[in-house]
């Protein structure tokens, strides 16, 4: 019997899955394998929200495979060791997996090749599984990646995209391959109470509903914080329960300005992946240093804690941070406001904020999280590195009547309209009615500090 292994990583689906399709086409049986990687645990990347969402995804993936006659094989440990064990147990001739972009993913691929070579087993890496356009597929003449989004997007949009791969009808798994028990969300402590459901079935339902009733208004409403009019597909894209090729293909078929705006966001995701693939150090180091001497976790401890706990005294910032705490997710405009406040107004090292986001975000992704934080800090790919988003101006524009703030800062629910954005303006007994802190810093003071630090004053 010809056997091949399909190593699932961040592609936890059966629809539009090129490695699974290729392995099935070339063999009599496949081993659908997921390894709960001890290396990721050691890197402190395993956090409750992603662990719980992953549990949903693995159980749903197993169900999808069983519907087709297969099952998911789950192992725990170091990826290379566990894959080699499965290859030895089944005499597999090849291991198929999706290509990654992080330094860790690249090292994993190299380690698999080295370990499996002696077993006579080939490693087949498939592109355009985690991203629509593979990193490095489009690049300026003489360079290995685009450093600016607009020209990247122009080239990205002209690239031919592979066809969506149909889900298999039947899957045969060799008998006798042992598996660890599937995890359960209910066994994961410390999960955000409003965390969304994971898994391919939930992701496909959300995508279909979004294409039917949400995408047409996306261009006009994606920044409407109270309207909650974004797709909320980012966790499914991160875990690969929805493929970016299928998402882009179906959105383009829907057509219209909303679809174009949504596909542009998928391009941003690919853009960050190609930057990180070319510059893996950007996961922790400035892509473009501005010579900052940031306030650190130690020197700015009280300000950082106030920001993390949603008690900065700026309601729109605090609403954003409380949404993160409750849902393990945050509205895209809120992410910009909250991150800018930390790095530009409080002048705290972007790595502090990026770590906190990774500790809570269910869609926490090294490429997108770290490079979006650098974009806001002005040390990444932003062509205007010194831009500062005024949280009050942002609130008045994107939460005009204060609905978003009242949703997440209920102690201010008694304030009507836009007055909720400036509770410190209240006087005397009226101010005393609201158990909410005054601002931890004046915006003018924060701006002046930032300008001094950047030599802009």
């Amino acid at each position: 019997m010809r056997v091949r292994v399909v190593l699932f990583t961040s592609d936890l689906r059966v629809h539009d899955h090129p490695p699974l399709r290729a392995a099935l086409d070339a063999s009599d049986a496949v081993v659908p394998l997921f390894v709960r990687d001890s290396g990721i645990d050691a890197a402190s990347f395993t956090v409750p929200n992603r662990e719980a969402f992953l549990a949903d995804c693995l159980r749903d993936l197993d169900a999808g495979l069983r519907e087709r006659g297969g099952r998911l094989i789950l192992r725990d440990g170091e990826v290379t060791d566990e894959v080699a064990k499965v290859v030895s147990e089944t005499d597999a001739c090849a291991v198929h997996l999706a290509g990654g972009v992080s330094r860790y993913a690249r090292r994993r691929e190299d380690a698999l090749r080295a370990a499996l070579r002696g077993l006579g087993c080939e490693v087949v890496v498939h592109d355009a599984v985690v991203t629509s356009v593979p990193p490095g597929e489009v690049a300026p003449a003489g360079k290995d990646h685009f450093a600016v989004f607009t020209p990247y997007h122009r080239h990205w949009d002209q690239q031919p995209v592979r066809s969506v791969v149909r889900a298999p009808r039947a899957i045969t798994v060799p008998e006798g391959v042992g598996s660890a028990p599937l995890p359960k969300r209910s066994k994961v402590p410390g999960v955000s109470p409003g965390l969304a459901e994971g898994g391919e079935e939930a992701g496909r339902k959300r995508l279909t509903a979004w294409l039917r009733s949400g995408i047409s208004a996306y261009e006009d409403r994606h920044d409407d914080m109270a309207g909650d009019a974004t797709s909320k597909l980012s966790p499914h894209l991160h875990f690969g329960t929805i493929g970016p090729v299928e998402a882009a293909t179906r959105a383009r078929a829907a057509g219209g300005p909303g679809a174009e705006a949504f596909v542009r966001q998928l391009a941003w995701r690919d853009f960050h992946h190609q930057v990180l693939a070319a510059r893996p150090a950007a996961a922790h180091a400035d892509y473009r240093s501005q010579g900052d001497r940031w306030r650190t976790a130690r020197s700015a401890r009280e300000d950082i804690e106030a920001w993390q706990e949603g008690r900065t005294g700026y309601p729109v910032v605090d609403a954003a941070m409380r949404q993160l705490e409750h849902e393990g997710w945050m509205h895209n405009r809120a992410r910009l406001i909250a991150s800018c406040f930390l790095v530009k107004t409080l002048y705290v090292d972007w790595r502090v904020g990026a770590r906190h986001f990774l500790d809570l975000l269910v869609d926490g992704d090294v490429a997108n999280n770290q490079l979006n934080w650098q974009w806001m800090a002005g040390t990444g790919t932003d062509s205007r590195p010194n831009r500062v988003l005024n949280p009050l101006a942002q609130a008045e524009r994107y939460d005009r009547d204060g609905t978003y703030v009242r949703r997440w800062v209920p102690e201010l629910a008694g304030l009507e309209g836009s007055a909720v954005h400036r509770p410190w303006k209240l006087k005397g007994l009226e101010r005393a009615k609201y158990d909410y802190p005054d601002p931890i810093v004046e915006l003018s003071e924060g701006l002046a500090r930032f300008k001094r630090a950047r030599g802009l004053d």
Side-chain angles (χ1 to χ4, degrees), residues 74 331 376:
L74 179 65
H331 188 281
M376 198 69 261

Side-chain angles (χ1 to χ4, degrees), residues 66 83 128 149 163 193 281 285 326 346 435:
R66 287 182 184 275
V83 172
F149 175 72
S163 299
H326 182 81
L346 298 181
D435 183 18

